[in-house]
Amino acid sequence: MAEHPDCALIRRGYEAFGNGDMDAMAALMTADVIHHVPGNNPMSGHHKGRDQVLDFYRRLGEETKGTFQVHLESVLADGRGHVMSFHTARGDRGDRGIEIREGLFFTIVGHKITDIDQCTADIDEEDAFWS
């Protein structure tokens, strides 16, 4: 059975992220995409617009000196424009490291990502790592 097109779109996004291919990632998003990041740290908040979202992804790499990576575990679609992905994020920042499970809830309209809600297994751990 073929993978749902929305799941394939998200897998392409993860592949582009892993390769640092911001042009490929940009092509998957609407101009007004929003990525919502939980917590109370410098990375938290609502990153609004394609440029700000891509800047957020660049900052993940910069803040961790290139060590930030995600390992995709699963992708699920509802067939109505929503996809959930689950991954493990890893990175080092100064003398602190993190390995944490996260999930993303995507809204897709017209074969483009319009909204990303991020969830984490431990908000306090993320706040400590990014602060």
Side-chain angles (χ1 to χ4, degrees), residues 16-93:
F17 181 88
N19 293 331
D21 187 345
M22 295 298 165
D23 290 336
M25 290 187 66
L28 303 176
M29 301 174 190
T30 61
D32 61 350
V33 65
I34 302 174
H35 188 139
H36 310 273
V37 180
N40 186 23
N41 66 71
M43 304 302 265
S44 300
H46 307 286
H47 305 276
K48 298 178 181 180
R50 187 182 306 136
D51 291 341
Q52 283 192 12
V53 170
L54 294 174
D55 185 56
F56 165 65
Y57 298 157
R58 283 185 196 95
R59 284 183 56 210
L60 293 172
E62 290 169 1
E63 292 288 327
T64 62
K65 298 192 181 342
T67 65
F68 191 82
Q69 57 183 330
V70 295
H71 172 72
L72 181 61
E73 297 163 8
S74 60
V75 181
L76 311 170
D78 72 354
R80 297 177 292 123
H82 301 109
V83 172
M84 294 174 18
S85 68
F86 300 92
H87 63 258
T88 299
R90 295 180 181 90
D92 295 306
R93 192 165 180 259

Side-chain angles (χ1 to χ4, degrees), residues 2 4 14-15 18 31 34 43 46 49 59 66 81 90 98 111 128 130:
H4 191 277
Y14 271 87
E15 182 178 346
I34 302 174
M43 304 302 265
H46 307 286
R59 284 183 56 210
R90 295 180 181 90
I98 195 168
H111 308 291
W130 293 112

Side-chain angles (χ1 to χ4, degrees), residues 74-119:
S74 60
V75 181
L76 311 170
D78 72 354
R80 297 177 292 123
H82 301 109
V83 172
M84 294 174 18
S85 68
F86 300 92
H87 63 258
T88 299
R90 295 180 181 90
D92 295 306
R93 192 165 180 259
D95 62 352
R96 181 180 284 272
I98 195 168
E99 182 171 327
I100 194 163
R101 292 210 60 225
E102 295 177 330
L104 299 175
F105 181 83
F106 296 89
T107 301
I108 299 169
V109 176
H111 308 291
K112 299 266 187 182
I113 299 165
T114 64
D115 197 79
I116 307 164
D117 281 300
Q118 182 173 322
C119 297

